[in-house]
Amino acid sequence: IPFHMESPTNQQFVVLTEEQMERLGRRHIFEYIAAAGQGRHCVRFCTAWSTLPEDVDTLISDIAAL
């Protein structure tokens, strides 16, 4: 999954297909940013002080399974 832009913060902007958005949206919350062309979309994942390491691990596993 490509990054839309570099971000050294707790916000990560990635480009997903509609299918990837649908699959990840079943278990994770992300913000839709904009269409990126060719059926792809920019979305934002963001962590907070309350984000558990297990939540990040689950997201990583779910992305790897795409």
Side-chain angles (χ1 to χ4, degrees):
I1 293 177
F3 286 95
H4 178 70
M5 67 175 101
E6 295 251 350
S7 177
T9 71
N10 64 322
Q11 302 178 83
Q12 297 301 308
F13 298 86
V14 298
V15 179
L16 302 175
T17 65
E18 290 182 23
E19 178 184 354
Q20 291 169 329
M21 284 178 32
E22 192 273 323
R23 287 180 63 188
L24 290 174
R26 292 178 195 161
R27 291 176 36 142
H28 306 282
I29 297 171
F30 53 85
E31 180 181 7
Y32 182 85
I33 301 297
Q38 299 180 334
R40 297 182 178 273
H41 306 274
C42 178
V43 301
R44 177 181 73 111
F45 288 93
C46 187
T47 58
W49 63 268
S50 59
T51 303
L52 300 174
E54 301 85 49
D55 295 332
V56 176
D57 292 340
T58 301
L59 177 59
I60 290 168
S61 293
D62 289 347
I63 289 171
L66 292 176

